[in-house]
Amino acid sequence: MRSARFNCAIVLTDHAKRRMAERNIDESLILLLVETGEVRHQDARRFWIAKHFAERSDNLICAAVVKDNGLLVIKTLMHHFVWSISP
């Protein structure tokens, strides 16, 4: 997968792949999340991307992401997510 928004390849950790399977999230949803989700930065490299998908009943889907060495690494995926920090 590749992100046009972040102009880099998307890499999923093994942990993120397990969470995808557990939460019924496929690569097309990941790509839509990355390309159109709300971004909140922790610092220059680490951030979250979250998006509500109306067809799902599990609130926001959120990816914990690190941008490193020209790659967008998705570390984990959460559902029933609630922002706990201000934008």
Side-chain angles (χ1 to χ4, degrees), residues 23 25 52-53 56-61 78-81:
R23 296 175 173 130
I25 298 170
H52 173 74
F53 293 91
R56 294 183 61 104
S57 62
D58 51 3
N59 196 358
L60 295 176
I61 301 295
M78 299 165 270
H79 64 157
H80 298 289
F81 183 76

Side-chain angles (χ1 to χ4, degrees), residues 64-75:
V65 180
V66 175
K67 190 164 185 190
D68 194 30
N69 294 323
L71 298 173
L72 194 69
V73 180
I74 297 179
K75 296 170 50 177

